[in-house]
Amino acid sequence: MSRSELALVVLEDGRVFRGRAYGARGRTLGKIFFSTGMTGYQEILTDPANCGQIAVMTFPHIGNTGMGAPAGDQNTWVAGLVVRDPARRAAWRGEEGELEDALSEAGVVGISHVDTRALTRHLRDNGAMRAGIFSGDALPSHSEDLSPAAVAVLVDVVRSQAPVNGAEAAHHARAAQARVIETIGGDGAASAHLVAVDLGGAAGAAQHLAQRGARVSVVAQSVTLDQLLALAPDGVFFSDGPGEASGAGSAVELARGVLDAGVPFLGTGLGHQLLGRALGYGTYKLSDGQAEANGDAAPVTAVDAPLTGLSVAPHDDGRYGRVEASRVSVDGRAVEQLRALDVPAFSVQQHRGAAAEPQYSEHFDQFLSLVEARRAQGGATPSVKQEG
């Protein structure tokens, strides 16, 4: 393999995987995670929750369906992509272009012809870690020989990257300006006015809510509680986004303000973690960096709430009452849904932000039912205990 084609994946523990340059050439750094899904690579690339991270596609053949046209203000958020056997040409009639061309246009440094299953096993055994992809001019001398000196230089570069704070990552991913999304379909009359706090991934969710008859005001996470409540929301949605709730203290306080005001609350992804922290639970990292295309995969960061039965939210001596872990991941490691029984709030960890199928967006219907119940009671806080 010529030097111009060579690319390397370098992990912070010193492990190196050789491959071919794919997409943009150069250097990219980030936390590395893997997906074992056979489909859904476009959703992974455009999910703001993956902002600044390197994605490893464990399934060997990637790119057969090309890249469709971005929806709305959807962008490619990943810092890098690792694949084994890229499609030479997209074969699906609906594709807008080739995956490699899309990566190059977006400036995403990638690598192909990597043993991604061995890389996945290494991450499962050793846990999530920082990594880098290097190609072209970013490779030091004698990289093709994997000389100890060259590898040491690259490992030092990987280890020198600072951890990404959750609040900072959301700041980079979210839309720059507040906006209003009018109701879609029907007679044009909004059934409810919702405020979506954009932690980086509100665009797709806001569209889903608008399609269900709501008028949605999208605001940045820097919004104050007074500014938010001045919009007179019937419900507040905290979106998915990159990073972790442990680095977003101001957003946790904002969530508590919403709970104290008795306004129905829905959180997805990072918003789920924020609700957990607002209720007084902690969050913790799971042992491996895994993100799946299906709805039952465990998240990388989990809410530290009891996995079974009811508990009393620890914050302020149980101010928010009882909480139920209404769904747990299939491996039994993580709470995937929280449901407060004494304040109108619930959250889900798994949410497919781009092109969500019905089974991945039923929580929006539940949220609007909660909003309508509160409106029917003249703004009084309803019970949020639901079947199913």
Side-chain angles (χ1 to χ4, degrees), residues 7-364:
L8 299 175
V9 178
V10 181
L11 306 181
E12 66 174 287
D13 66 355
R15 185 73 183 270
V16 178
F17 292 81
R18 184 196 299 263
R20 293 179 181 271
Y22 184 69
R25 270 60 171 172
R27 181 186 84 179
T28 190
L29 303 172
K31 184 173 70 175
I32 193 166
F33 71 94
F34 62 86
S35 170
T36 57
M38 296 175 64
T39 62
Y41 62 81
Q42 180 163 350
E43 286 77 12
I44 288 173
L45 298 178
T46 58
D47 188 343
N50 299 328
C51 178
Q53 300 184 58
I54 297 172
V56 179
M57 305 304 298
T58 308
F59 186 73
H61 191 58
I62 298 295
N64 188 58
T65 56
M67 284 288 282
D73 56 0
Q74 189 181 94
N75 296 302
T76 299
W77 291 113
V78 295
L81 180 66
V82 183
V83 300
R84 178 168 182 170
D85 182 18
R88 288 175 290 179
R89 184 177 183 278
W92 183 51
R93 63 183 180 180
E95 86 278 357
E96 297 290 332
E98 303 292 339
L99 172 59
E100 183 172 17
D101 293 339
L103 295 175
S104 297
E105 184 177 349
V108 176
V109 177
I111 181 172
S112 67
H113 295 83
V114 172
D115 187 346
T116 53
R117 295 186 179 183
L119 176 52
T120 294
R121 286 195 297 269
H122 185 78
L123 294 174
R124 276 190 168 145
D125 291 343
N126 296 278
M129 62 185 77
R130 294 169 295 176
I133 302 175
F134 302 85
S135 61
D137 293 339
L139 290 170
S141 299
H142 305 295
S143 294
E144 57 270 29
D145 302 324
L146 295 184
S147 71
V151 171
V153 168
L154 297 177
V155 171
D156 285 345
V157 171
V158 169
R159 291 176 179 172
S160 68
Q161 62 179 302
V164 178
N165 175 277
E168 292 175 350
H171 171 76
H172 290 300
R174 67 169 181 262
Q177 294 182 344
R179 59 202 185 277
V180 175
I181 300 177
E182 300 293 345
T183 182
I184 300 173
D187 58 6
S191 60
H193 175 224
L194 307 177
V195 170
V197 179
D198 192 352
L199 303 174
Q207 289 292 326
H208 281 294
L209 291 167
Q211 289 168 357
R212 288 162 169 78
R215 180 175 180 266
V216 185
S217 295
V218 182
V219 299
Q221 73 166 45
S222 58
V223 68
T224 67
L225 179 62
D226 288 342
Q227 290 170 336
L228 189 155
L229 295 180
L231 296 173
D234 295 308
V236 177
F237 165 69
F238 279 68
S239 79
D240 195 0
E244 302 165 10
S246 59
S250 61
V252 172
E253 290 305 315
L254 181 63
R256 284 177 178 155
V258 173
L259 297 179
D260 291 337
V263 179
F265 179 109
L266 167 64
T268 63
L270 180 57
H272 164 70
Q273 297 174 34
L274 289 175
L275 178 61
R277 284 196 162 259
L279 294 172
Y281 302 107
T283 52
Y284 64 97
K285 292 182 180 180
L286 296 174
S287 59
D288 53 44
Q290 180 175 8
E292 294 289 9
N294 64 63
D296 287 330
V300 175
T301 302
V303 174
D304 191 14
L307 294 173
T308 58
L310 299 179
S311 61
V312 175
H315 178 66
D316 195 18
D317 295 325
R319 185 164 92 199
Y320 299 124
R322 299 164 298 158
V323 179
E324 177 186 24
S326 54
R327 182 174 179 178
V328 177
S329 61
V330 291
D331 59 10
R333 295 193 301 167
V335 174
E336 295 228 326
Q337 293 185 7
L338 285 174
R339 183 178 296 155
L341 305 185
D342 299 311
V343 293
F346 72 100
S347 62
V348 295
Q349 172 63 50
Q350 299 297 341
H351 168 66
R352 183 176 292 178
E357 298 173 8
Q359 64 266 37
Y360 297 112
S361 56
E362 62 183 10
H363 45 273
F364 294 130

